[in-house]
Amino acid sequence: GAAIRLNRPRDFALTERLRSDWPFRASRVPGFYGWIIALFTTLGMYMSIPGQTMGMAVFADEFIDAFGLSRTELSTAYLFGTTASAFCLTHAGRWFDRYGARFMICASSLGLATTLLFISTAIRPGMFAFALILAGYFGVRFSGQGVLTSASRNVLLLWFERRRGLVSGTSGVFVSLGFSIAPLVIAMMIDTWGWRGALWVMAAVVGVAFFLLALLMVRDRPEVCGLRPDGDVAEDQEKSAARREIVHMSLEQARRKLVFWVYSLSLSMHAMFGTAVTFHVAAIFEEAGRTRVEAFGYFLPAAVVSVVTNFTASAIADRSRLKPFLVIMLVAFVLGAFGLTRLSSSFGYWSLVVGFGVGGGLWGMLANLAFVRQFGTRHLGAISGLNTSITVFASAIGPVLFSLANDTFGSFQAAAWGCLGLLVVLVGLAVFIRQPMDVRPVV
């Protein structure tokens, strides 16, 4: 803890306190405190739901009616707000490295709650409605999908080392299940309290209840609590460190490595392709001669495959290199993309389900482990922040690219074939790229 304070002599007393073991000693809690951090990681991901695409999408029709905007105008505001937030997330990653996880989780929860209240009260029909909802979308995407998600994920990686994969995979199972039912829960809230009431309830949960819990319970890293990752004793930690060389790269060093861009672009392809398919799923299935029921029913088997894959791969990753998982993920996405071009057949449908299910499950594992395994923990916030910026930007442009392809060629097929080509290129890079830090972990 002392080394952290000496590196930040100009920080405010509040941020120093939040980086400490305040307000109670975590080492006195029965069991390893990292499991409480794992719980808060899962809660933090749940709290980000109002800033996720599926969280805001439930409000689309209500926003169109309330703000006097067309669907195209609302979609364009979402695109611009998401894109603008993407360019700010690298800076937010640096703030994570400087101010710590607890400060960023608390700040982002307040920011998300404030933005939800802003959308519910400040936006009215009129000439400024577009600009105001754009600002609202920027706020929820930056604070929710961006900062709160990445800060919650990163703090877990600092508390575990040998069991990072297993713990993050277990958390990912519950996150996936929560995300899958969230649209239904939000829709029920809107039916019960109206869209403004639903936003107020979510703001209270995120900005009051979760904020207070995080303020009291979250700790930045085990060292400030007199603990060690995984709950190891000093002797075990020293033996483990002696058997491996730990390299901590800065953001500037990481982004000069081709391996960073291969992982980042591979993860971003899923964000772009997956968001586009989700956004246009009804129209894509209709083009293939399938019903809306089949379109929305596709998500259930894909989610089951994804959850099983994520948990299994996360456990195995603790004892293996990541490169094979990267290659398999991209090959699975190739299968899914090819299935999308043959969606009218049973083979195409199940290729989409299996391909996107397996790829999505591996994506969840690699998003957690790739950058901490390749570049260390010292500048994890900045490095993962840049990756998050690229991923969020990709998720913003994906639906637009599919729309443009449909408008230009009268079909979504051109966009699917374009993504298929990019994925094949990434498979080649993933196979041949050297990954010097991708070694089998010490367990």
Side-chain angles (χ1 to χ4, degrees), residues 33-46 156 171 210:
Y33 199 77
W35 299 113
I36 295 179
I37 297 299
L39 172 62
F40 270 90
T41 290
T42 307
L43 287 177
M45 299 296 284
Y46 286 162
L156 181 65
S171 174
F210 179 71

Side-chain angles (χ1 to χ4, degrees), residues 18-346:
L18 292 180
R19 294 198 68 115
S20 69
D21 198 15
W22 175 87
F24 61 87
R25 294 183 62 181
S27 58
R28 292 183 175 177
V29 175
F32 177 48
Y33 199 77
W35 299 113
I36 295 179
I37 297 299
L39 172 62
F40 270 90
T41 290
T42 307
L43 287 177
M45 299 296 284
Y46 286 162
M47 294 301 106
S48 76
I49 285 174
Q52 304 286 349
T53 298
M54 47 80 180
M56 280 288 104
V58 184
F59 292 91
D61 290 335
E62 281 72 18
F63 287 173
I64 289 170
D65 294 337
F67 305 148
L69 297 171
S70 68
R71 188 171 297 275
T72 299
E73 289 173 328
L74 189 71
S75 300
T76 303
Y78 190 75
L79 166 65
F80 289 163
T82 300
T83 302
S85 72
F87 289 109
C88 300
L89 290 174
T90 302
H91 296 291
R94 291 192 176 99
W95 298 339
F96 178 92
D97 293 329
R98 179 174 182 180
Y99 298 113
R102 177 156 48 170
F103 178 87
M104 294 304 295
I105 290 173
C106 291
S108 58
S109 65
L110 288 179
L112 180 57
T114 301
T115 307
L116 294 174
L117 293 176
F118 168 79
I119 293 174
S120 69
T121 58
I123 303 175
R124 293 290 187 273
M127 62 183 300
F128 298 112
F130 178 85
L132 291 174
I133 190 60
L134 190 158
Y137 279 148
F138 168 82
V140 296
R141 297 294 275 171
F142 175 74
S143 56
Q145 188 204 23
V147 179
L148 184 54
T149 298
S150 59
S152 298
R153 179 189 295 132
N154 287 343
V155 70
L156 181 65
L157 302 179
L158 299 178
W159 274 84
F160 290 90
E161 189 171 299
R162 293 183 294 103
R163 291 179 286 187
R164 274 178 185 146
L166 177 62
V167 176
S168 61
T170 303
S171 174
V173 170
F174 291 101
V175 170
S176 296
L177 294 175
F179 276 28
S180 65
I181 66 173
L184 177 61
V185 174
I186 295 174
M188 293 173 60
M189 293 168 62
I190 294 173
D191 292 339
T192 303
W193 298 303
W195 69 268
R196 284 193 172 90
L199 291 177
W200 294 341
V201 170
M202 290 193 295
V205 173
V206 174
V208 179
F210 179 71
F211 167 80
L212 292 175
L213 283 173
L215 182 67
L216 296 175
M217 304 297 291
V218 173
R219 301 291 187 275
D220 285 356
R221 55 177 66 237
E223 291 80 4
V224 301
C225 307
L227 300 172
R228 297 176 183 273
D230 298 293
D232 289 342
V233 297
E235 292 78 7
D236 292 338
Q237 195 77 8
E238 290 169 0
K239 291 178 182 178
S240 178
R243 286 181 287 172
R244 71 190 189 280
E245 181 182 358
I246 302 176
V247 176
H248 301 280
M249 294 189 188
S250 66
L251 174 61
E252 289 70 24
Q253 292 173 313
R255 65 186 178 190
R256 289 197 294 266
K257 303 291 185 181
L258 181 58
V259 66
F260 169 84
W261 294 104
V262 171
Y263 272 103
S264 191
L265 292 176
S266 299
L267 295 172
S268 297
M269 274 300 299
H270 172 61
M272 182 178 75
F273 203 175
T275 302
V277 172
T278 300
F279 198 88
H280 298 293
V281 65
I284 290 173
F285 271 66
E286 182 181 1
E287 180 181 288
R290 294 182 175 272
T291 66
R292 288 175 60 87
V293 174
E294 290 176 303
F296 293 109
Y298 143 79
F299 292 106
L300 179 59
V304 172
V305 174
S306 179
V307 168
V308 173
T309 302
N310 179 276
F311 183 76
T312 303
S314 296
I316 296 174
D318 285 331
R319 295 171 172 81
S320 66
R321 301 171 66 216
L322 296 182
K323 183 175 180 176
F325 294 109
L326 175 64
V327 175
I328 294 171
M329 179 190 77
L330 291 169
V331 171
F333 285 148
V334 168
L335 175 64
F338 183 75
L340 197 64
T341 67
R342 298 290 187 271
L343 190 56
S344 59
S345 67
S346 296

